[in-house]
Amino acid sequence: MSIKMRFLLSYVGVILISITLLLVAGFLIIFTITGDIRSIEHFYKKTYVQKPLTTVEESAFLDLKLLAKNNPTLLLYEEQLKKIEQEDIELVVRKGNSIEYASPTLDDENILIKSLPGFEETNINSRDSIKIDHSFYTYVKFDFYFPDNSKGSIFVLRQASSYAELARELFPILFGLLLFLFIMIIGILNYFVSRSIIHPLSNLKNGANRIKSGDLNFEIQTTPNDEIGQLNKSFEEMRIKLKESVNLQLQYEENRKELLSNISHDLKTPITSIIGYVEGIKDGVANSPEKMDKYLSIIHLKARDMDSLIDELFLFSKLDLKKEPFSYETIELTEYMRDYVDELQLELIQEGIQIYVELMHKPMYVTADREKLKRVLVNLINNSVKYMDKDQKNITISLYEGENDITVKIADNGQGIEPSALPYVFNRFYRAEQSRNTRLGGSGLGLAISKQIIEEHGGNIWATSEFGKGTNVFFSLKKGR
C-alpha cells in the first residue's frame, strides 16, 4: 500500500471516529434536553410511536377522549374540564374555528387558532410538537364531531424546552456542515501531505532511478529542515560524493592509461638503444677494442637507467598504494642538513656547482623518516642540477622556522620553469618539454615521489620560479619535540 493511500485511510478513519463521537455527543445532548431515552429514537419523527407524555398527561388525554366519544357536549363546560386538568399540562378544546376552552397560560385565542394544527378526518390520535408564541409544546390531539356535526378537537399539551426543538431543527444542518468541513480538511491535508511528503519522496525515487541508470548529473532540491528535508539533504550529499567518486575513478583510469603509456615510452627508449648497440656488436660494427668498450659502456649506462626507472616506478607505486613503510623519528634538522651538504659537496664541485646552506644557529627538530627525507633532497638537488644553464651555477639550502613546522627551501639559478608549466611540475611523468625528449634524462617521477613523501609526513611542497633566472622549491615538516 502506498504512503499516500495510508495517509488517506488514516484521515478517513479519523473522520469516521469523529463522526461516531459526534453522534454519541448528540445522543447525550438530546437525552439531557428531553430526559427521555425512548423519545430519542423518534426525535425527528412527526408521528410518535412511543408516548411523549407522562402517565398523568396520558390519563388526562384518555379522559378527554372518552368524553369526546360518549358525550362531547360535556367538553364545552369549564367545570368538567378543570376536573381533568392536571398540574404542568395544558388543555385546549376547539369547536369549529373557535377555542371553547384553553388553560390559563394559553389565553391568547388568536395565537392558538394560528398555531394549533387543523382538523383531520381520519379520527386518529395525532402527536407532534408546535410553537405557540415564543414557547415550544408537545401535544397529543384527538379529532371528533359534536352532536351538531361541527368539527371538534381536544389537545393535551406540555411545554417543552426550547432547546430541544432548536436542537432538532439545527442538528442536521450542523452535522452536514461538520461533514463538509471534514471533507474539506481531508482535501487540504492530502494536498499539503502530497506537497511536503509525497512529492519529495517521489523526487527521491526518481533520483534513485537516475542513479541506477548511471545518471549523476542532476540535483535534488532540499525541503525545509524536517525529516524529509534531512533525507533529501543526505541523498544529495550521497549523490555528490558518488559523482566525485565516479569522476575520481575516471581520473584514476586516465592516469593509469597515461602511466602505462609513459612507462612504455621510458622503457622503450633505453631498450631500443640497448638492442641497437647489441646488434651492432653482433654485426661486427664494434670492430675495435675502443668501439667495443664504448658500446658496452653505453649498454651498461642504459641498463642502469632502466634499473633506476624501475626502482622509481616501484617506489612510486608503493607510495601511491600506501604500502611503503615509514619509520618516523625525531631529527635535528640543522645538523642533518649540514651532514647531507658535506656528503654532496664534492660531487657538485666536480660539476662546477657551488652549494650554500643558510641554517639557523640553534637546534631545530622535526618528525621525519630519515631515509625518505634524504630521497626528497636527492630528487630536488638532482632536478636543480639537470636544469643548470649558467656559467656560475649555485644551489642554496635554507631553513625557516614557523609556529608548528619548519620549511626547507632549495633555490637554484638554473633555467627556471615557464609559468604555464609550473602548476604541473609535481605531476607524475611531467616534463616541461611536451615532446618528452630525454636529452636531460630522468623519469619524470622525481618531483611526484617527493610530493608523496612530504604529504605522507603531513607537510606540503610547492615551487616558485622565474623563467630564465631560477627555481625555488619549498617543503614543510612538522616540528618534533
Side-chain angles (χ1 to χ4, degrees), residues 259 263 306-325 375 429 443 445 449 452:
L259 180 63
I263 290 173
M306 287 180 58
D307 184 62
S308 176
L309 174 60
I310 291 171
D311 286 342
E312 288 194 329
L313 286 171
F314 185 60
L315 175 60
F316 181 83
S317 177
K318 291 176 69 176
L319 289 170
D320 201 34
L321 296 173
K322 308 295 184 184
K323 291 185 177 181
E324 175 68 14
R375 183 61 179 262
F429 289 105
S443 64
L445 286 174
I449 290 174
Q452 287 187 314

Side-chain angles (χ1 to χ4, degrees), residues 140 212 228 264 282 300 333 345 362 371:
V140 59
K212 182 180 178 181
I228 300 297
S264 300
K282 288 176 63 179
H300 181 260
L333 193 58
Q345 194 165 19
K362 64 176 183 178
E371 293 302 319

Side-chain angles (χ1 to χ4, degrees), residues 20 25 33 103 155 180 241 249 257 259 276 334 341 363 455 481:
T20 302
I33 293 173
S103 296
F155 297 87
F180 175 75
K241 293 291 184 182
Q249 185 66 31
K257 292 177 181 179
L259 180 63
T334 302
V341 170
E455 288 182 347
R481 57 185 179 87

Side-chain angles (χ1 to χ4, degrees), residues 270-271 273-274 277 293-309:
I271 288 176
S273 297
I274 291 173
Y277 284 106
D293 184 62
K294 179 182 178 182
Y295 277 37
L296 290 176
S297 296
I298 294 175
I299 291 172
H300 181 260
L301 178 62
K302 296 299 181 182
R304 288 188 61 182
D305 288 344
M306 287 180 58
D307 184 62
S308 176
L309 174 60

Side-chain angles (χ1 to χ4, degrees), residues 417-439:
I417 304 171
E418 292 185 359
S420 61
L422 190 61
Y424 309 104
V425 293
F426 293 101
N427 292 356
R428 65 187 79 183
F429 289 105
Y430 183 81
R431 293 194 186 98
E433 301 92 342
Q434 297 301 320
S435 62
R436 295 193 52 82
N437 70 67
T438 55
R439 175 178 58 84

Side-chain angles (χ1 to χ4, degrees), residues 319 322 324 326 328 450-459:
L319 289 170
K322 308 295 184 184
E324 175 68 14
F326 280 72
Y328 294 104
S450 299
K451 179 181 179 182
Q452 287 187 314
I453 291 174
I454 293 301
E455 288 182 347
E456 190 67 29
H457 279 74

